[in-house]
Amino acid sequence: MRKTKAITVLLILCLAAFVVLSGCGGNKNEASSPEQASGNASENASETPSAQASPEASKLGGKVVFWSMWSNTEPQSKVITEAISEFKAANPGVDVEVKFNGRELFKLIKPALESGETVDVFEYDPAGALANLKDHVLKLDDLLEQPAIGSDGKSVKDSLLPALMNNVKSLSKTAGLEEGYYALPQQPYAVLFFYNKALFQKAGITSVPKSWEEFLAACEALKKAGVEPITFDDAYRDQFIGGYLSSAMGSDWVKALVTDKTGAMWKDPMVLQFAKDMQALHEKGYFSKTIGGNKYPAGQQDVALGKSAMYFNGTWLPNEVSATAGPDFQWGSFQFPIIPNGNDKGGQQGLSFGAQGILLNKNSKNIPAAFELMKYLVGKKAQEGMAVQALAIPATVDTPWPSSLAEAAVAFDKATVNMPWGFSINSGADFSSGSVIPVFMELVTGKINAEQYVAKMESEAKKFYGGK
Amino acid sequence: MKIQKRVIALFLLPAVIIYLGIFLYPTLRTILMSFYTIPALSSRITEWKFAGLANYADLVRSPYFLSSVRNVLGIWLIGGALIFGFAFLYAVILQSGVRWKSFWRSLIFLPNTISVVVLSVVWLHYIYNPSYGLLTTLFHRLGMTTLADIQWTDNEHLFYSMIVAYCFGSIGYFMLILSAGMDRIPVDYYEAALLEGANGFQRFYKITLPLIREVFRTTVVLWTITASNFFAWSATFGQDDPHTVTPAYYMYQKVFGVGNNVYAQDEFNVGSGASVGIMITLTILIVSALLNRMFKGERLEY
């Protein structure tokens, strides 16, 4: 008995030490950031009158509860904390309660809203939010005419990137809501090939590959230079399939493919071409050896460590691995190469881009103050902070982009068609996660060949949709 | 003194009301929900659309759901064999009078006190990781390159890797129950058997096993319930990967719309989640009844 007690005491001591230590660390950070922020806030208040521009701002009162999708260890939370203290300085009557949930928020928010918990403002991916939380989101159209924070008299609507605003608006129709804006876009992203510039130089690749042929040549050069050309993690397997197929045929075709109830579309020559190309990538050793077992974020760490050269992912990648990659890591990016034999819907006119969103609870008891807070979160200064501290693309117009994403701007400029997340490969819901992705992995790891892939997908589709 | 029945009823009333309110009502409501198409968890009953047995029929036809059922059966069988094998082994070793009994018992139980999320991060990223994980490093050191190159978390191995990781954390719990049961057995039996010249195996099969039959039955029922509700590990190991998905995780996806977005084809239906819940409950009831029948026989008193 005494021994158990001793062990228990030891464990408790360890735990206590851990709590105390981590607690101190946390305090230090917290202590320094609000100080900084409030300093900035007062500075800003005296410099730019726009903070007090909306007449009722200072009269606002009550409480606003804000749930963030960032965790308090991420740089985004620091920027948000600064924006909130700036908001508080301008609106001393409003009490803000912020909760940094991290991405757990996506699981927590729906039960919270449905049980009537007080959450006035929350962050969420707009495409997900408008599908899952339709009955809880407020249409912001009227509020968007208010002047933005720090944007010289521009309205909130005009201060944000038009492509993102249009995208948010288009989602409302797809979701079956009255057309309008239900979210303020922030943290824009695009899905691109990210690559290590130093490794490309070492392999003697001078320009980014535009066609599939050039892409294969780049892979060969990288392999000869002793680098694994391509990798991805389990979380982004869908992107690679969708990226290839939509680059050939456009994302509407991809959607038709994964929702085809007869399975006949899988016999399309493009599917066979895709399967043959994937088989070739595997046979030539262009995929990372660990690609089958990569659990997020193992693969992207390989890129950051210089083991692998290319990764098809969202523009958040450089920030996510910045701690491993270090400040000198040279990021480049390019769109999925053009696939031969496609139709006119594919190519580089289409880009999977979008944004995270800030949304307002329809049942909020304090809408004016809540929206005022949202304005600060997408204010010019907060967005500059996101670009500098979180290496994110700013949502406001005319704000400079982080240098690691300079090449991504090219793709944004070129794109005319917005493709949904995953290029519609996930539109098959259970069929996508249950068959499309796992069978693709069998192909990628060489368990089946191209012909077997086509046959298997056709029969899986028949099996899945057969009963419906 | 004889207490009137009415008084007994009065004292039981609060407990009964609470039980009915927080257990029976949700159960009945879920049964009802499973026959309807329901757009959201908070939808009013007027928004429900009667669907008859359609939710159940859809489930039985969905290959994705069927693979989740296969997975849970595999977990119950393989995981059960692993857990009970090791739990018995450890319990017997502990009972055999090994030194520092309490220390070993605490050590084996320790993984139970760690959160599932932490444990799965450790397993996924420090043990199974294909570049710097414990397994690959170990096999490389030993020069076994084929073993070192195995991708423990790919399509083929993910399911078994998950079971091993899960069992690692669960053996201690079942060991504790079994060894408490063994502690109750009077030492005299063992002493008598020892004097008669019985060896360790004989003592285990002839004394320990028959005398902890009741405890064993309870642990098997507990294990069945745990396995049927297997959720957190499939969430952390595979998310919606069909190799690790279980009915409980599938139900969660259906009820809370995880991974759902405006582009998805499937209509969001809480009712189909409810029918998964009902099926899990029925399975547990049936299996418990079967186990009760299997372990029937007179109770041994000692």
Side-chain angles (χ1 to χ4, degrees), chain A residues 211-389:
Chain A
S211 67
W212 187 250
E213 221 169 87
E214 287 170 22
F215 181 73
L216 292 178
C219 287
E220 187 60 37
L222 285 163
K223 194 186 151 195
K224 280 201 179 121
V227 188
E228 293 180 333
I230 311 164
T231 195
F232 50 74
D233 285 303
D234 57 340
Y236 298 108
R237 289 167 177 171
D238 52 347
Q239 302 300 318
F240 207 88
I241 321 171
Y244 183 104
L245 291 175
S246 71
S247 176
M249 310 294 275
S251 60
D252 288 340
W253 185 87
V254 177
K255 182 171 181 170
L257 177 71
V258 293
T259 54
D260 176 28
K261 297 192 171 26
T262 62
M265 254 185 100
W266 290 97
K267 283 191 281 193
D268 192 289
M270 182 49 71
V271 177
L272 184 64
Q273 181 189 324
F274 160 74
K276 280 190 168 152
D277 280 343
M278 293 303 125
Q279 191 185 337
L281 289 182
H282 165 72
E283 280 165 0
K284 290 179 182 159
Y286 295 162
F287 283 127
S288 158
K289 273 206 276 314
T290 61
I291 207 154
N294 274 347
K295 281 276 154 197
Y296 171 85
Q300 56 184 44
Q301 291 298 335
D302 284 348
V303 177
L305 294 167
K307 213 177 123 193
S308 306
M310 296 186 274
Y311 194 116
F312 194 57
N313 197 348
T315 39
W316 49 72
L317 179 66
N319 177 49
E320 278 193 358
V321 295
S322 61
T324 316
D328 300 329
F329 195 98
Q330 296 259 306
W331 287 102
S333 58
F334 58 92
Q335 256 183 286
F336 206 99
I338 298 166
I339 305 300
N341 309 323
N343 59 13
D344 58 344
K345 300 275 167 43
Q348 304 199 329
Q349 56 178 332
L351 180 67
S352 170
F353 72 87
Q356 305 301 331
I358 308 178
L359 299 100
L360 220 167
N361 183 353
K362 200 157 93 179
N363 303 318
S364 165
K365 302 231 164 38
N366 200 356
I367 289 175
F371 188 72
E372 190 66 22
L373 174 67
M374 289 165 75
K375 277 159 65 180
Y376 274 85
L377 295 173
V378 294
K380 187 134 196 166
K381 200 156 156 226
Q383 292 304 311
E384 277 166 11
M386 288 294 180
V388 176
Q389 296 185 40

Side-chain angles (χ1 to χ4, degrees), chain B residues 132-203:
Chain B
Y132 53 81
L134 176 76
L135 290 176
T136 184
T137 320
L138 188 74
F139 288 132
H140 268 304
R141 287 264 167 83
L142 298 175
M144 298 189 245
T145 42
T146 14
L147 277 175
D149 285 343
I150 291 180
Q151 303 288 307
W152 300 103
T153 46
D154 69 1
N155 275 0
E156 287 152 43
H157 302 92
L158 186 63
F159 179 65
Y160 301 101
S161 302
M162 178 178 77
I163 292 183
V164 169
Y166 171 75
C167 291
F168 170 80
S170 295
I171 288 168
Y173 175 75
F174 290 98
M175 176 212 68
L176 214 58
I177 303 176
L178 290 176
S179 84
M182 291 180 190
D183 283 345
R184 272 178 51 221
I185 302 172
V187 198
D188 321 6
Y189 297 166
Y190 291 106
E191 282 170 356
L194 206 59
L195 288 176
E196 301 281 340
N199 63 26
F201 285 103
Q202 285 169 326
R203 272 173 296 169

Side-chain angles (χ1 to χ4, degrees), chain B residues 242-302:
Chain B
H243 300 97
T244 56
V245 75
T246 56
Y249 190 69
Y250 183 78
M251 168 174 74
Y252 167 74
Q253 286 178 311
K254 291 290 142 194
V255 174
F256 293 106
V258 178
N260 193 26
N261 69 44
V262 285
Y263 308 113
Q265 187 78 353
D266 262 12
E267 216 178 292
F268 189 52
N269 180 11
V270 177
S272 110
S275 52
V276 181
I278 298 300
M279 280 164 112
I280 296 175
T281 314
L282 284 179
T283 313
I284 294 176
L285 289 177
I286 293 169
V287 173
S288 309
L290 281 177
L291 285 172
N292 271 335
R293 180 153 296 187
M294 256 171 62
F295 283 88
K296 225 174 178 178
E298 61 184 297
R299 243 166 208 254
L300 294 169
E301 303 218 352
Y302 51 91

Side-chain angles (χ1 to χ4, degrees), chain A residues 3-4 7 107 110-111 114 127 131-132 171 175 290 292-293 295-297 307 420 427 430 433-434 438 441 447 467, chain B residues 41-42 61 100 102-103 106 125 130-131 151 153-156 237 242 250 252 254 256-257 260-263 265 268:
Chain A
K3 273 167 205 149
T4 343
I7 290 162
K107 297 175 191 160
K110 190 175 164 99
E114 304 216 317
N132 290 326
L171 292 174
T290 61
K295 281 276 154 197
Y296 171 85
K307 213 177 123 193
S427 293
D430 286 352
S433 38
M441 289 313 292
K447 299 283 178 314
Chain B
L41 202 53
S42 58
R61 278 199 295 255
W100 300 327
S102 307
F103 169 76
S106 308
H125 296 298
S131 336
Q151 303 288 307
T153 46
D154 69 1
N155 275 0
E156 287 152 43
F237 259 67
Y250 183 78
Y252 167 74
K254 291 290 142 194
F256 293 106
N260 193 26
N261 69 44
V262 285
Y263 308 113
Q265 187 78 353
F268 189 52

Side-chain angles (χ1 to χ4, degrees), chain A residues 138-149:
Chain A
L138 185 77
K139 196 171 160 191
L140 305 171
D141 292 38
D142 298 338
L143 295 164
L144 287 172
E145 301 305 328
Q146 290 182 21
I149 305 294

Side-chain angles (χ1 to χ4, degrees), chain B residues 31-185:
Chain B
I31 294 177
L32 195 65
M33 281 170 91
S34 71
F35 298 115
Y36 285 82
T37 302
I38 302 164
L41 202 53
S42 58
S43 303
R44 271 181 294 275
I45 295 189
T46 47
E47 295 173 65
W48 296 11
K49 258 200 327 247
F50 187 72
L53 288 171
N55 287 336
Y56 291 95
D58 279 349
L59 279 184
V60 177
R61 278 199 295 255
S62 158
Y64 188 60
F65 176 72
L66 292 181
S67 67
S68 81
V69 173
R70 263 198 305 280
N71 288 342
V72 89
L73 286 176
I75 291 165
W76 184 78
L77 203 68
I78 304 170
L82 270 175
I83 287 181
F84 284 107
F86 278 100
F88 263 113
L89 184 71
Y90 290 147
V92 169
I93 293 175
L94 284 180
Q95 202 217 5
S96 69
V98 70
R99 281 180 77 188
W100 300 327
K101 180 178 172 182
S102 307
F103 169 76
W104 296 119
R105 196 164 53 188
S106 308
L107 192 72
I108 298 167
F109 187 73
L110 203 61
N112 245 283
T113 59
I114 303 169
S115 137
V116 173
V117 180
V118 176
L119 269 184
S120 43
V121 167
V122 169
W123 278 92
L124 279 177
H125 296 298
Y126 297 104
I127 296 179
Y128 292 138
N129 182 293
S131 336
Y132 53 81
L134 176 76
L135 290 176
T136 184
T137 320
L138 188 74
F139 288 132
H140 268 304
R141 287 264 167 83
L142 298 175
M144 298 189 245
T145 42
T146 14
L147 277 175
D149 285 343
I150 291 180
Q151 303 288 307
W152 300 103
T153 46
D154 69 1
N155 275 0
E156 287 152 43
H157 302 92
L158 186 63
F159 179 65
Y160 301 101
S161 302
M162 178 178 77
I163 292 183
V164 169
Y166 171 75
C167 291
F168 170 80
S170 295
I171 288 168
Y173 175 75
F174 290 98
M175 176 212 68
L176 214 58
I177 303 176
L178 290 176
S179 84
M182 291 180 190
D183 283 345
R184 272 178 51 221
I185 302 172

